[in-house]
Amino acid sequence: MASVISANSFGQQKTNIVYIMSDDHAYQAISAYGGALKNFAPTPNIDRIAQNGMRFNRCLVTNSISGPCRAVILTGKYSHMNGFVANEGQAPFDGSQQTFPKLLQSAGYNTAMIGKWHLGSDPTGFNYWDILPGQGAYYNPDFINKDGSHTEQGYVTELITKKSIEWLKKAGKSGKPFMLMMHHKAPHREWQPGPNELSLYKNVVFPEPSTLFDDYSNRGTAELTQDMTIAKTMRLEEDLKLYKDKSKMKTTGLNRMNTDQMKEWDAVYDPIIRYFYESGLTGDDLVRFKYQRYLQDYLACIAAVDKSVGEVLDFLKDNGLDKNTIVIYASDQGFYLGEHGWFDKRWMFEESYRTPLLISWPGVTKPGSVNEDIVSNIDFAETFLELAGVKIPSDMQGLSLVPVLQGKTPATWRKEHYYHYYEYPGSHMVKRHYGISTERFKLIHYYYDIDEWELFDLKTDPSEMKNVYNNPSYAPVKADLLKRLDAIRIKYGDSEENAKSFLPHKSNSR
Ligand code: CA
C-alpha cells in the first residue's frame, strides 16, 4: 500500500515538508537536549527527529513572543519589516504580503495550516486551514476555517493531531508535494494537561534550577522591575489550578470541560487543592511548591505533544512518506522553567532567546548530528523555499539552512545575531530591548523609558547573572560589539527611531 501512496503520477520528487511547532516549549524540556529534566520527563518521540537528523543547539529567535515569531517564520523578515512587532496593541498580520507558504503554493505545493495561528487575520497561502481563534482553548476548543467557527469535543493537542493526519492522508495521495504546518497550542499558559496525562507527573519532584531564587543583583532596572516571577506573578488558582472557587475556571476556559472530563480533573486536582490549603506554605517553601506544581502541568502538556509527534512520524513511515519528507520540530520561542525565578519568555537571555530546533531530512542530514552554528527562525522560510527549488526573494533577511543540514556550513555563515523585543508596557513588563549575540558574548540595550546596557560573557557566566558592561577588562569586547551592533542594525534596516513608530502599546490585563 505504501508504494501506492508515495507514487507520484507526475514523477515529481520535490521534498514534502512537515513543520511541527509547539507554543512556549523550552529546550530544557526536550530530552534530546539533555539537561536536568531529561530523566524525569523524557520526550522520546520528539527525540526521534534528533536521532534521525540534526539537533540545533543555538537556534535564536528575533523577538521572543508568539505572534511576532510566527510572522518572522512566514516572511523570513524581522518584525520591523513584516509589521508584526508584538502580541498586544498590534494590528492583525498583513496577510497580503509575501510569505513562504504562498511561494510554495505557486510552485505547486499543496499547503495546510492546522492549529494555533495567533496572527489576528485569516491565514493566506494555504490550500487548507483550520485554526484556533486567538490563544485557543485546551478543552473542547473552537476552530475557525473557511466556513466559519465551530466547537469540537476533545483535547486540543489530540484534535490538532487527528486533523493533521487526516489532511496528510489526502495530501499523500494527491500526487503533489505537500507542506503542513501543524501548530500546537500546548504547552502555553495556563498549562492544562489532557485527560490522558492528568496524573502523569503528580507525584514527581523535579530538580530546581540553580537560579530559582535569583535576586537580580549585578544587573539593571529591567530585571528588577519585570512582572514574571513564579513567586509573585504566577497565580495559585488560574495558573496552578488550586481553585478555592471553581467558578473562576471560566477565565481560563476550564469551564468548557464536560461532566466526565470535569470528574476526571477533580479526581486528580481536589486532593492537591486540599493538601495545599492545609499546608499553609509561605516564603521559599511556597515558591518551591509553585515551581513543582507549574512543572507538573507544563510537562504533562508536553507529554501529549510528544505523543502527537510520534503519531505523525508513525503515519509518515507506515505510508511510505517518510523517505521524501523533511520533518521539523520547533517551538515559537523558548521559555523559562524557573530560571531567574521566572516563567514566560520575552528576554534576550538564553532560555527564551533560544528555541528548540530538530530537523530530520532522510538521505541528506546525518542521523544524530549536532549543530552549533548560530541559526534563527528567520532562516526557516528560506530553507523551505530552497528545499522546494524556489528562488529565495532578495528581500528575505535569513539564510537557507540547506547547506547546514547537508553538513556543509559555509565559511561565511553568520557569526552574530540581532534581536529586538518591543512589547512594553505590556504583560509581564519586560522592558524594550535590542542587542547582538555572538557565540560567546551578548550585548543588550534597554531603551524607550530607560537607557541601560548589559554585557554578558556566556563562557564564564552561562546563566547570565553578571553584567560586565562597565568592567574595564571587557572594554575591548564592548567596543567591538557596539560597532558590530551598529552595523547589524543598518544591515537589517532597524533603528530606535523606527521602533518608536510602532508603539506605544496599550497594556493588556493579562
Ligand atoms: Ca509562544
Side-chain angles (χ1 to χ4, degrees):
M1 282 313 285
S3 60
V4 174
I5 291 172
S6 62
N8 185 315
S9 54
F10 302 103
Q12 169 125 209
Q13 288 300 315
K14 280 190 177 175
T15 309
N16 303 309
I17 299 165
V18 173
Y19 177 78
I20 306 171
M21 187 163 78
S22 49
D23 192 335
D24 294 354
H25 191 175
Y27 59 83
Q28 309 93 295
I30 292 179
S31 39
Y33 279 96
L37 298 174
K38 185 182 169 191
N39 298 323
F40 294 84
T43 50
N45 292 299
I46 294 170
D47 292 2
R48 276 162 68 185
I49 302 174
Q51 285 150 14
N52 296 335
M54 187 174 273
R55 182 185 89 213
F56 289 83
N57 276 352
R58 207 129 191 273
C59 180
L60 306 176
V61 299
T62 63
N63 178 3
S64 182
I65 187 150
S66 177
C69 285
R70 291 155 200 268
V72 166
I73 289 164
L74 291 172
T75 61
K77 291 178 184 173
Y78 272 90
S79 304
H80 64 276
M81 300 299 275
N82 67 45
F84 203 93
V85 302
N87 281 348
E88 297 171 5
Q90 166 71 50
F93 176 69
D94 171 12
S96 72
Q97 68 184 297
Q98 168 184 284
T99 63
F100 88 81
K102 286 187 190 175
L103 295 167
L104 287 187
Q105 218 179 13
S106 303
Y109 270 71
N110 185 6
T111 60
M113 163 65 224
I114 297 169
K116 183 166 175 180
W117 175 245
H118 208 211
L119 286 167
S121 52
D122 286 349
T124 54
F126 298 97
N127 296 68
Y128 176 82
W129 53 272
D130 200 0
I131 60 169
L132 301 168
Q135 294 283 6
Y138 274 106
Y139 276 86
N140 309 329
D142 292 339
F143 281 88
I144 311 172
N145 57 29
K146 281 172 184 157
D147 302 322
S149 172
H150 64 285
T151 306
E152 296 199 23
Q153 292 298 303
Y155 185 62
V156 70
T157 305
E158 293 166 9
L159 291 170
I160 289 169
T161 310
K162 192 166 147 253
K163 286 168 182 288
S164 297
I165 288 177
E166 277 167 14
W167 185 83
L168 283 170
K169 261 182 205 163
K170 288 184 219 147
K173 291 176 188 164
S174 72
K176 289 173 84 178
F178 59 81
M179 187 281 292
L180 167 68
M181 300 184 93
M182 176 171 98
H183 289 189
H184 283 299
K185 168 189 170 60
H188 192 275
R189 195 182 186 190
E190 289 84 5
W191 320 295
Q192 295 165 1
N196 295 313
E197 292 82 27
L198 276 177
S199 57
L200 186 60
Y201 298 125
K202 291 298 177 282
N203 297 314
V204 178
V205 179
F206 296 101
E208 293 171 3
S210 60
T211 59
L212 182 61
F213 295 98
D214 192 355
D215 63 2
Y216 316 115
S217 55
N218 300 311
R219 278 147 296 160
T221 310
E223 289 89 342
L224 286 166
T225 57
Q226 46 68 36
D227 180 22
M228 53 184 275
T229 61
I230 290 174
K232 290 194 179 120
T233 316
M234 192 175 271
R235 304 161 300 178
L236 290 173
E237 290 179 285
E238 295 91 333
D239 291 324
L240 301 180
K241 296 87 180 177
L242 301 166
Y243 287 102
K244 274 182 181 165
D245 172 5
K246 285 189 181 167
S247 72
K248 281 195 189 166
M249 284 181 158
K250 201 176 167 196
T251 62
T252 62
L254 277 178
N255 64 321
R256 299 176 74 98
M257 287 192 285
N258 62 37
T259 314
D260 289 343
Q261 289 165 337
M262 188 70 89
K263 217 171 127 188
E264 287 182 44
W265 180 279
D266 286 343
V268 172
Y269 284 92
D270 279 353
I272 300 171
I273 294 170
R274 270 198 304 276
Y275 165 80
F276 175 72
Y277 289 106
E278 280 165 15
S279 70
L281 293 169
T282 55
D284 288 357
D285 291 341
L286 177 58
V287 173
R288 293 199 154 99
F289 178 86
K290 288 174 83 175
Y291 167 77
Q292 295 295 337
R293 193 74 287 294
Y294 164 38
L295 258 67
Q296 286 165 3
D297 287 348
Y298 178 88
L299 294 166
C301 289
I302 286 167
V305 172
D306 186 66
K307 216 181 283 177
S308 161
V309 170
E311 284 174 36
V312 171
L313 294 178
D314 288 347
F315 172 83
L316 293 173
K317 192 151 197 256
D318 294 347
N319 291 278
L321 292 165
D322 56 324
K323 299 274 185 301
N324 195 33
T325 301
I326 187 167
V327 179
I328 299 98
Y329 185 84
S331 172
D332 56 348
Q333 24 49 219
F335 211 67
Y336 294 91
L337 302 181
E339 300 87 359
H340 303 292
W342 292 338
F343 65 103
D344 210 71
K345 51 260 180 179
R346 301 165 197 273
W347 301 89
M348 201 184 161
F349 301 129
E350 290 294 282
E351 290 82 359
S352 49
Y353 186 28
R354 265 178 69 186
T355 198
L357 178 65
L358 309 168
I359 302 181
S360 79
W361 187 6
V364 178
T365 303
K366 193 177 157 213
S369 47
V370 176
N371 181 276
E372 304 287 348
D373 297 318
I374 297 178
V375 304
S376 175
N377 58 351
I378 204 156
D379 301 330
F380 295 179
E382 294 82 341
T383 306
F384 301 150
L385 292 175
E386 186 173 354
L387 279 170
V390 178
K391 190 170 180 290
I392 299 165
S394 60
D395 60 348
M396 284 193 173
Q397 297 180 305
L399 302 166
S400 165
L401 298 174
V402 165
V404 180
L405 289 161
Q406 290 168 328
K408 297 174 197 158
T409 302
T412 54
W413 192 261
R414 73 167 72 82
K415 302 286 184 285
E416 58 211 5
H417 184 262
Y418 179 60
Y419 182 84
H420 194 156
Y421 172 78
Y422 300 80
E423 193 169 294
Y424 178 92
S427 293
H428 299 299
M429 297 302 278
V430 174
K431 290 193 185 291
R432 290 182 201 181
H433 58 288
Y434 60 86
I436 188 168
S437 181
T438 64
E439 188 191 347
R440 176 166 173 183
F441 298 103
K442 199 178 283 181
L443 177 72
I444 306 173
H445 185 212
Y446 299 91
Y447 71 105
Y448 183 67
D449 60 338
I450 58 170
D451 178 13
E452 291 182 20
W453 291 84
E454 288 183 334
L455 175 62
F456 294 95
D457 182 344
L458 299 180
K459 193 172 172 193
T460 60
D461 178 28
S463 302
E464 299 167 292
M465 301 287 280
K466 198 170 185 321
N467 173 20
V468 294
Y469 187 80
N470 292 317
N471 181 331
S473 58
Y474 283 90
V477 171
K478 181 169 106 179
D480 174 55
L481 286 175
L482 283 166
K483 220 165 80 183
R484 288 164 77 174
L485 178 60
D486 279 347
I488 204 168
R489 301 194 86 204
I490 291 166
K491 177 182 168 185
Y492 292 125
D494 198 19
S495 67
E496 276 183 46
E497 276 310 304
N498 186 25
K500 279 175 196 156
S501 70
F502 290 114
L503 302 159
H505 301 295
K506 285 192 199 101
S507 187
N508 184 310
S509 60
R510 275 189 50 215

